[in-house]
Amino acid sequence: GESVGLHLPTLSVQEGDNSIINCAYSNSASDYFIWYKQESGKGPQFIIDIRSNMDKRQGQRVTVLLNKTVKHLSLQIAATQPGDSAVYFCAENLNFGNEKLTFGTGTRLTIIP
Amino acid sequence: DSGVTQTPKHLITATGQRVTLRCSPRSGDLSVYWYQQSLDQGLQFLIQYYNGEERAKGNILERFSAQQFPDLHSELNLSSLELGDSALYFCASSVGQEDIQYFGAGTRLSVL
């Protein structure tokens, strides 16, 4: 069945270092993936997305990598800042156009000053 | 600020009661989505509306219902509330049906 999961529930990174958050998905039919950031007391905030016809996409300080062979998604955050501390969720769409998002359980990232 | 407005921010009620959660989407967005976030279930998709019509349904209980009005705001109605319904309820909106979803700050529901 469909499932989206995260390898590491918590991650602590020194400020200024790079961080990598991983996500595994089981449905090979998924063709659209999104990373959201959720700070305490707030709703999920869109970070970056990627379609299955791509294997890498870059944003400002963030990069998403998609490895369809092993059904793996990662979010790289460069030069982490205290404001990056949050829970990060990956989400997948079964097919682009089907708007039902299936979310992973989330990884809590803590930036150590 | 995502531009999606949810009210109220907090809601405390008793078992058996009925509540209505309200969502105003971003200006120009036609799609509205409802999600439930609980500690043991994570973020779960409930239902989606597009321009007033229901378009997709997730694991939404029969005690729950939603609608989207002509002005595109949406309401989620929760009835016969149970303790297990205590959760954060998020609304998201997008321009169309194939666009990034932007989330509101959520309504925290506590059923006592």
Side-chain angles (χ1 to χ4, degrees), chain A residues 4-61:
Chain A
V4 178
L6 292 165
H7 293 306
L8 299 174
T10 61
L11 179 64
S12 295
V13 174
Q14 204 72 36
E15 181 180 354
D17 287 353
N18 300 333
S19 68
I20 300 176
I21 301 171
N22 297 301
C23 178
Y25 64 95
S26 63
N27 195 328
S28 58
S30 294
D31 66 355
Y32 181 56
F33 305 88
I34 311 169
W35 281 100
Y36 281 93
K37 170 187 179 183
Q38 187 174 21
E39 297 175 88
S40 180
K42 297 184 179 180
Q45 174 189 353
F46 171 82
I47 301 174
I48 193 168
D49 59 355
I50 189 168
R51 299 188 190 188
S52 59
N53 62 351
M54 304 169 68
D55 53 21
K56 180 178 180 179
R57 192 167 188 211
Q58 288 184 294
Q60 187 177 12
R61 289 200 303 118

Side-chain angles (χ1 to χ4, degrees), chain A residues 13-20 37 59-63 75-85 88 109-113:
Chain A
V13 174
Q14 204 72 36
E15 181 180 354
D17 287 353
N18 300 333
S19 68
I20 300 176
K37 170 187 179 183
Q60 187 177 12
R61 289 200 303 118
V62 294
T63 300
L75 176 70
Q76 300 178 357
I77 305 175
T80 54
Q81 304 168 357
D84 294 330
S85 293
Y88 290 81
L109 175 66
T110 301
I111 306 303
I112 304 168

Side-chain angles (χ1 to χ4, degrees), chain B residues 18 21 24 29 31 35-36 49 53 73 77 91 93-94 101 110 112:
Chain B
R18 172 190 170 96
L21 312 183
S24 295
D29 285 1
S31 275
Y35 292 84
Q36 180 191 58
Y49 281 82
E53 294 186 1
H73 91 271
N77 300 297
C91 169
S93 73
S94 65
Q101 296 179 28
S110 298
L112 306 179

